[in-house]
């Protein structure tokens, strides 16, 4: 689930999911949706492998990698096949379609306020602040 | 934060003492009047400023300008000077928009002489200057050619035909920051933004045709009713990626240097460390890309101007408001981080873009800035309303009507982009500029009002 929370200059999302893998996939969808891609027909994929010091940094770095690739390759990812996910490493294939254009810009996913937690119902969640 | 935590130093300056939080290394200061202070206290700007006051090697004060607003890590409108030998460099203290800055051009036209031809002129400029999200330009550079732009900035742009040597004399650092090294600009950064030279981008970036509405102090050859052109843009996707790349590096290496920060977006490394130096060299390269970008955009505007009016345009000045530079101040040699703050050395033009439909300012840096703010001033009006709320409160049709009634011709790539930058989304730029003028940081030279706007 993706909720938008008010922020004066930028965009803040709260992402919630049943598993940590789903949290990564949902956050990916939320991030790319902010770009408002105009999608083409051609299907695309992009393999990524990220290592980081902790799970939260791993998520932010994963999303920034996806964002960089989306901009550079003009691709809109709406899902990921996550092959391996530990506290410090993620290997995944980003899946989507070519992007003919983007309607909005996202400069980066920031580390500010990002903190992966589990709530009392076992749901995984984090807030993400984007520089737009 | 509660207002009672601040002490009034004088009518335009408030201070949060070092004793406010045990990890502060210096006090935090905000230049504002009391009315704007109440608004500033409405978000977390000052909590973020206090976090900045904890950075290793910080000198004097962590400083906020009156246009300060909440960011992530550093507040937007913040200044931090750290010792060049014992301090840290923080990519968050510059931001993702490396060398976001403003260039001002002078025409020989007056607003009254231009009125009839304005719509065609605006359209002609919009055709010359690509704008919009991720939009690339017509220029394609091979790796070695891009490296020369990254190393030499606007100087290289002039060498390959975009402008003259006289232009370079009127750009901060002559359009090239020393120490830039293209080898630290990643392939990701080149892939993301290498084709964006000569483009404005989106968001609050624009080209504006302005009329001089009021002259406070005759300087820089600016006269009442004269037409000036303001360019506000940045290093585009290339700079965004340089910041992302090095924040990631610094988040991963801070612990090795025994540094902890209250917010990961303040991630940093000792300036003299390999990581610190590599970031500085990459940031300088991205800053040079932005100087070259504004130089190439200037050439496009000149082409349109020449075509429509048969006239040329002269550069008045070009200055960054998101950058880190090594400077000498009373406390010694420091690395000054300016994130949404403009260098304001005595006698230097200080360019303050406002929002559409309000005003922009030309100021002149004063000696007071050297004594109080590490040679810095404000950078704009400062947002007070989220983009989401702006879209809810303003419609594109209503805004276009309003701009038309004000005599402003606007060409925007998207209606959404237009309403997000509506005047009510920003602070009162007149009040912001009053504070820096009265505090002695930069004095008012001229107030400009838009007559033509081109944005993504």
């Amino acid at each position: 689930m993706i909720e938008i929370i008010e922020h004066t200059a930028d965009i803040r999302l709260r992402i919630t999911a049943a598993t940590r893998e789903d949290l990564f996939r949902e956050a990916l969808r939320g991030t790319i949706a902010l770009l408002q891609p105009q999608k083409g027909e051609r299907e695309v994929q992009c393999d990524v492998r990220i290592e980081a010091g902790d799970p939260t940094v791993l998520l932010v770095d994963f999303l920034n990698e996806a964002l960089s690739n989306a901009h550079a390759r003009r691709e809109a990812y709406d899902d990921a096949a996550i092959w391996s996910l530990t506290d410090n490493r993620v290997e995944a294939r980003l899946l989507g379609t070519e992007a003919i254009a983007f309607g909005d810009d996202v400069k980066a996913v920031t580390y500010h306020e990002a903190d992966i937690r589990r709530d009392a119902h076992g749901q995984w969640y984090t807030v993400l602040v984007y520089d737009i | 934060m509660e207002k009672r935590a601040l002490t009034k130093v004088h009518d335009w300056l408030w201070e949060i003492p070092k004793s406010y939080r045990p990890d502060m290394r210096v006090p935090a200061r905000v230049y504002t009047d009391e009315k704007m202070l109440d608004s500033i206290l409405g978000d977390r700007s000052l909590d973020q400023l206090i976090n900045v006051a904890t950075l290793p090697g910080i000198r004097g004060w962590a400083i906020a300008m009156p246009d300060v607003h909440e960011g992530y890590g550093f507040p937007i409108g913040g200044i931090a000077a750290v010792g060049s030998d014992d301090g840290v460099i923080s990519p968050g203290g510059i931001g993702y928009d490396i060398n976001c800055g403003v260039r001002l051009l002078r025409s020989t036209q007056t607003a009254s002489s231009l009125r009839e031809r304005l719509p065609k002129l605006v359209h002609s400029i919009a055709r010359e200057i690509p704008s919009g999200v991720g939009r690339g330009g017509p220029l394609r550079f091979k790796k070695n050619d891009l490296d020369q732009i990254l190393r030499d900035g606007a100087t290289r742009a002039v060498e390959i035909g975009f402008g003259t040597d006289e232009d370079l004399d009127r750009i901060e650092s002559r359009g090239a920051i020393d120490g830039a090294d293209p080898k630290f600009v990643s392939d990701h950064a080149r892939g993301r933004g290498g084709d964006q030279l000569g483009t404005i981008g989106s968001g609050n970036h624009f080209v504006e045709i302005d009329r001089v509405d009021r002259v406070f102090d005759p300087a820089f050859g600016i006269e009442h009713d004269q037409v000036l052109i303001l360019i506000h843009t940045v290093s585009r996707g290339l700079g965004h990626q340089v910041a992302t790349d090095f924040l990631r590096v610094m988040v991963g290496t801070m612990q090795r240097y025994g540094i902890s920060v209250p917010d990961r977006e303040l991630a940093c490394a000792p300036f003299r460390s390999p990581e610190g130096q590599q970031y500085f060299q990459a940031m300088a390269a991205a800053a040079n890309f932005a100087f070259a970008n504004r130089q190439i955009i200037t050439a496009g505007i000149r082409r349109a101007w020449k075509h429509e009016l048969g006239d040329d345009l002269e550069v008045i000045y070009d200055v960054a408001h998101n950058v880190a530079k090594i400077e000498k101040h009373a406390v010694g040699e420091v690395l000054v981080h300016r994130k949404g703050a403009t260098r304001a050395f005595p006698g230097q033009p200080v360019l303050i873009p406002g929002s559409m439909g309000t005003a922009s300012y030309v100021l002149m840096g004063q000696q007071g800035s050297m004594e109080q703010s590490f040679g810095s001033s404000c950078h704009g009006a400062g947002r007070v309303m989220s983009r989401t709320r702006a879209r809810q409160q303003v419609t594109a049709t209503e805004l276009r009507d309003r701009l038309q009634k004000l005599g402003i011709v606007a060409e925007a790539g998207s209606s959404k982009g237009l309403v997000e930058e509506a005047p009510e989304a920003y602070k009162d730029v007149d009040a912001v500029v009053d504070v820096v003028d009265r505090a002695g940081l930069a004095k008012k030279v001229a107030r400009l009002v838009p007559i033509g706007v081109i944005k993504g």
Side-chain angles (χ1 to χ4, degrees):
Chain A
M1 186 171 65
I2 302 165
E3 300 164 82
I4 299 174
I5 307 169
E6 189 86 2
H7 189 287
T8 312
D10 297 299
I11 285 190
R12 183 186 280 133
L13 299 183
R14 182 186 160 96
I15 314 287
T16 311
T19 66
R20 202 163 63 177
E21 283 81 1
D22 283 350
L23 187 77
F24 274 59
R25 294 169 66 212
E26 195 74 348
L28 172 68
R29 277 192 280 270
T31 301
I32 300 300
L34 291 175
L35 292 170
Q36 300 189 1
Q38 183 190 337
K39 294 178 183 174
E41 296 286 317
R42 186 172 57 86
E43 292 187 349
V44 298
Q45 58 186 41
C46 176
D47 294 348
V48 296
R49 190 175 74 176
I50 305 290
E51 293 181 11
D54 67 57
T56 300
V57 173
L58 188 68
L59 173 64
V60 173
D61 290 352
F62 168 74
L63 296 173
N64 274 320
E65 185 73 8
L67 192 60
S68 301
N69 282 309
H71 279 297
R73 297 160 64 128
R74 293 247 153 200
E75 295 176 349
Y77 311 113
D78 48 23
D79 205 352
I82 297 181
W83 297 322
S84 160
L85 177 61
T86 68
D87 281 356
N88 307 105
R89 182 179 169 124
V90 59
E91 288 185 47
R93 173 165 290 170
L94 310 180
L95 304 165
T97 55
E98 64 177 320
I100 293 159
F102 293 115
D104 224 333
D105 200 5
V106 176
K107 295 167 196 167
V109 187
T110 74
Y111 299 102
H112 182 60
E113 296 183 18
D115 187 12
I116 297 180
R117 302 266 174 157
R118 290 186 86 177
D119 66 16
H121 306 290
Q123 294 279 304
W124 295 80
Y125 68 93
T126 186
V127 166
L128 294 169
V129 175
Y130 296 79
D131 187 343
I132 59 168
Chain B
M1 166 167 294
E2 302 277 336
K3 194 171 178 179
R4 63 173 181 233
L6 290 106
T7 308
K8 188 174 181 176
V9 179
H10 56 65
D11 283 350
W12 319 107
L13 178 61
W14 298 71
E15 182 170 293
I16 303 158
K18 194 176 145 190
S19 57
Y20 179 78
R21 223 173 70 184
D23 56 348
M24 288 172 73
R25 294 171 194 261
V26 293
R29 286 186 156 190
V30 54
Y31 286 86
T32 182
D33 60 23
E34 193 152 3
K35 189 176 165 199
M36 271 193 291
L37 177 62
D38 292 335
S39 156
I40 290 167
L41 288 165
D43 68 19
R44 290 185 288 181
S45 313
L46 297 187
D47 297 301
Q48 293 181 341
L49 189 67
I50 286 166
N51 290 342
V52 172
T54 70
L55 287 176
I58 189 165
R59 301 280 198 270
W61 319 271
I63 300 167
M65 287 291 138
D67 49 337
V68 69
H69 63 80
E70 180 181 345
Y72 38 82
F74 268 68
I76 316 298
I79 299 143
V82 301
S84 60
D85 285 327
D86 64 338
V88 292
I89 185 165
S90 172
I94 293 105
Y96 294 92
D97 272 342
I98 295 171
N99 190 359
C100 188
V102 188
R103 174 178 290 210
L104 186 66
L105 311 176
R106 184 201 333 272
S107 81
T108 56
Q109 301 284 333
T110 60
S112 39
S113 72
L114 205 59
R115 189 155 292 127
E116 300 290 313
R117 290 172 289 179
L118 189 61
K120 201 163 170 231
L121 181 64
V122 167
H123 186 63
S124 186
I125 293 173
R127 271 200 326 200
E128 284 284 351
I129 315 295
S131 63
V133 181
R135 182 86 189 270
L139 302 172
R140 294 288 182 276
F141 291 94
K142 290 181 183 157
K143 185 176 184 298
N144 286 348
D145 296 332
L146 184 59
D147 282 355
Q148 285 184 304
I149 292 275
L150 294 169
R151 194 177 297 112
D152 300 326
T155 306
R156 181 62 188 156
V158 166
E159 279 171 5
I160 57 177
F162 297 97
T164 65
D165 274 350
E166 288 73 42
D167 295 344
L168 299 176
D169 294 337
R170 293 166 183 183
I171 305 175
E172 176 183 4
S173 303
R174 282 181 62 82
I177 296 179
D178 287 342
D181 192 336
K183 75 170 176 280
F184 297 119
V185 176
S186 68
D187 287 343
H188 254 22
R190 292 163 188 268
R192 187 168 170 181
D195 67 346
Q196 293 176 340
L197 274 171
T199 66
I200 305 173
S202 58
N204 63 344
H205 298 134
F206 58 77
V207 171
E208 204 172 81
I209 303 174
D210 289 328
R211 173 176 69 83
V212 179
D213 171 59
R214 193 169 166 196
V215 175
F216 300 91
D217 192 347
F220 314 131
I222 295 174
E223 295 169 5
H224 183 254
D225 204 41
Q226 192 176 31
V227 170
L228 306 178
I229 296 92
L230 204 59
I231 304 165
H232 179 211
T233 190
V234 69
S235 50
R236 308 285 328 274
L238 184 138
H240 303 163
Q241 192 62 40
V242 166
T244 299
D245 289 343
F246 279 92
L247 263 164
R248 189 173 164 189
V249 167
M250 290 185 187
V251 163
T253 56
M254 267 193 309
Q255 205 176 7
R256 182 147 52 84
Y257 291 109
I259 299 170
S260 71
V261 288
D263 184 326
R264 276 181 170 142
E265 281 293 311
L266 294 174
C268 52
F271 179 53
R272 298 294 179 199
S273 69
E275 294 84 358
Q277 286 296 295
Q278 286 168 17
Y279 169 64
F280 182 73
Q281 289 161 4
M283 180 219 64
N288 292 347
F289 184 88
F291 281 130
N293 192 29
R294 292 195 286 273
Q295 186 66 33
I296 292 168
I297 287 171
T298 300
I301 298 171
R302 278 174 163 154
R303 276 196 302 275
W305 207 267
K306 186 93 176 165
H307 182 259
E308 297 299 333
L309 305 169
D311 281 354
D312 199 5
L313 297 164
E314 182 187 2
V315 176
I316 294 179
Y317 202 59
D318 181 318
V319 65
H321 50 232
N322 279 13
V323 79
K325 293 182 87 173
I326 301 167
E327 293 170 5
K328 287 201 166 54
H329 288 275
V331 295
E333 187 181 86
V334 286
L335 178 73
V336 184
H337 297 70
R338 296 189 178 95
K339 184 176 187 180
T342 313
R343 197 187 70 171
F345 286 179
Q348 174 216 303
V350 178
L351 309 176
I352 308 299
S355 62
M356 282 180 305
T358 58
S360 297
Y361 276 86
V362 180
L363 313 178
M364 183 193 284
Q366 298 294 288
Q367 187 58 36
S369 76
M370 304 308 282
E371 292 150 10
Q372 303 180 75
S373 59
F374 297 100
S376 312
S377 178
C378 61
H379 87 303
R383 269 198 103 86
V384 285
M385 187 190 287
S386 73
R387 288 171 168 88
T388 311
R389 197 177 298 173
R391 288 199 301 271
Q392 288 163 351
Q393 294 192 2
V394 184
T395 69
T397 311
E398 184 270 324
L399 182 56
R400 281 184 202 277
D401 283 351
R402 203 188 329 158
L403 293 175
Q404 200 171 13
K405 280 178 189 151
L406 290 167
I408 301 169
V409 178
E411 282 221 11
S414 77
S415 297
K416 181 174 159 295
L418 190 72
V419 297
E420 285 179 354
E421 299 303 314
E424 49 268 60
Y426 287 87
K427 290 182 190 179
D428 176 358
V429 69
D430 298 323
V432 167
V433 163
D434 263 348
V435 169
V436 298
D437 182 289
R438 288 167 191 256
L441 306 180
K443 73 173 174 181
K444 289 191 262 190
V445 170
R447 183 179 191 269
L448 319 179
V449 294
I451 56 174
V453 178
I454 299 107
K455 65 187 307 307

